Amino acid sequence: MGRISGLFGVQGWVKVYSYTEPREAVLDYDRWLLGRKDGWQEATVAEGQRHGKTIIVRIDGYVDRDQAAKLVGLDIGVPREAMPETDNGRYYWSDLEGLKVLHCDGTELGRVAYLIETGANDVMVVKGDGERLIPFVMDKVVLGVDLDKGEIEVDWEWD
């Protein structure tokens, strides 16, 4: 959902780099999971708002700048059950990561390692015998996604 990117003020507020669209949609969730080295820890958002081009948030229990500094660099997630259902043909990136990618001729190209946003469209980074960048463009490049089978079928020529 995002990452805590810096400090804001002296009363425990932090800056959040949000991966959501719109950017402030990360504030729709008042219970966050913060990614630490030893796993995810639940946190409650006490207050939050858009501030210019960034989002600022105060997490319960963090009341000054020194305490909030411990949060900088942590990833932000939310429990899956808190996420809205997706429309047909739309997917959360986390659902696509790890899926097997098959060319329409049956050739296995590898598995989705991660996705990147390019502005024009999202791109799957597929790792197999090498690394391939495949545009995630439904009905043109991506012919189908079968989450139950764990497969994505593509029509993409590779070198």
Side-chain angles (χ1 to χ4, degrees):
M1 299 292 294
R3 175 180 288 263
I4 298 178
S5 60
L7 299 170
F8 182 84
V10 296
Q11 296 180 334
W13 288 75
V14 292
K15 294 179 185 178
V16 170
Y17 182 81
S18 174
Y19 304 148
T20 64
E21 287 190 28
R23 194 173 289 160
E24 58 271 8
V26 72
L27 298 173
D28 292 346
Y29 305 93
D30 60 355
R31 309 284 295 164
W32 285 358
L33 299 172
L34 299 178
R36 300 181 181 276
K37 291 178 184 175
D38 58 346
W40 294 91
Q41 178 182 6
E42 196 168 301
T44 301
V45 176
E47 303 175 73
Q49 64 188 37
R50 186 166 186 146
H51 185 76
K53 290 185 176 182
T54 192
I55 304 296
I56 58 172
V57 170
R58 188 176 62 77
I59 303 292
D60 265 351
Y62 294 83
V63 296
D64 65 38
R65 187 175 181 88
D66 292 335
Q67 288 177 319
K70 298 173 187 169
L71 299 171
V72 175
L74 298 183
D75 290 321
I76 300 166
V78 295
R80 179 55 189 249
E81 58 272 7
M83 302 290 291
E85 292 295 319
T86 58
D87 294 330
N88 191 26
R90 296 182 55 92
Y91 304 93
Y92 289 116
W93 285 8
S94 60
D95 290 340
L96 301 175
E97 292 172 353
L99 295 186
K100 184 186 316 179
V101 179
L102 301 170
H103 188 268
C104 57
D105 70 4
T107 305
E108 184 175 332
L109 303 178
R111 293 190 176 270
V112 178
Y114 57 94
L115 290 98
I116 53 176
E117 185 178 3
T118 64
N121 52 265
D122 297 333
V123 174
M124 298 182 291
V125 177
V126 177
K127 293 189 177 185
D129 57 354
E131 183 175 278
R132 294 184 178 91
L133 303 179
I134 302 175
F136 192 86
V137 180
M138 288 299 294
D139 302 323
K140 291 185 180 179
V141 176
V142 176
L143 302 179
V145 176
D146 189 330
L147 296 176
D148 293 330
K149 288 172 80 174
E151 297 177 348
I152 300 174
E153 183 182 12
V154 299
D155 186 2
W156 183 250
E157 295 307 316
W158 63 93
D159 296 335

